[in-house]
Amino acid sequence: MAKRDFNEWRSHFIPAISGYSYYVDFDKVSVNVDSIKTELNIMNSLMGSKNICEDFVNLATKYPEIRKCIPILLAIREKKFDVRDNGKIITYDLSKHVNSIEELSRLMSETGLFKMMENRLINLVDYVYGVETGLDSNARKNRGGHQMEDLVEGFIRATGKKYFKEMYLSEIESRYGLDLSAISNKGSTRKRFDFVVESNNHIFAFEVNFYTSSGSKLNETARSYKMLAEESRGVNGFTFVWVTDGCGWKDAQNNLRETFDVLDTLYSIHDLESGVLSRLFDGVEIVLDHF
């Protein structure tokens, strides 16, 4: 196989993999709002109140279920949280009827909720739609972290090979009778791979990531995977595969180049689109005795 050119390989890196679903999950937002819409509409009766503390106590006494609205009105997911109040810690648990109505009234007063409701005649259902949208946007990092895994999994699945997600070194050793002590520092490292693929009596262990911005983590990752590539080279029946991409590598390409030079199975999204996995999986003829 002809030696690959690093600059040509990296020239195919793409700046983003985010689809439309990355931004806001409006279906989730609607479900969350609908689950408390009745209670929010009850709370709407407090808008513009001139005696809101007393009105809230009366309302919460008659409709105790409205307390479950309070966390989202404070733009938090937690139903149980602590507040420091004049040197004391007050624990609020809105999942249960633990706190007194007076304590809830103080919470809403001190956080400014009462003032907002007194002075601004807004619909709380609309307000919570906005809050839920904002909170969901904070989940983008988590969604983004899974996008590359989902993308690579699609390519692996398309090959028809048997594979597993998130598998530890010890599980690989146990399942396939492999000795991976050279990688695990004689069993002291609990390394977990994103995917493990079986093909032609051979095991392929994958790490996948995508970087939209640069930083020290990229250099650390490249150095770590270079070491992993070198350590795994002598393990019969085992191949380490790294799939990475993203414009974040632009300022960290020197370390990436070092890993590229020692790891033939370092791939980009462009490589996957070119069918590299089928060629990789079907081209291996090494026999694993204990497979």
Side-chain angles (χ1 to χ4, degrees), residues 155 270-280:
F155 284 104
H270 175 74
D271 293 324
L272 302 188
E273 294 172 339
S274 301
V276 71
L277 294 186
S278 293
R279 296 193 297 273
L280 174 69

Side-chain angles (χ1 to χ4, degrees), residues 7 71 79 86 133 139 197 202 206 235 251 254 267:
N7 291 326
K79 302 296 183 183
N86 293 325
T133 300
V197 181
H202 198 89
F206 281 69
V235 180
D251 296 326
N254 289 337
Y267 300 130

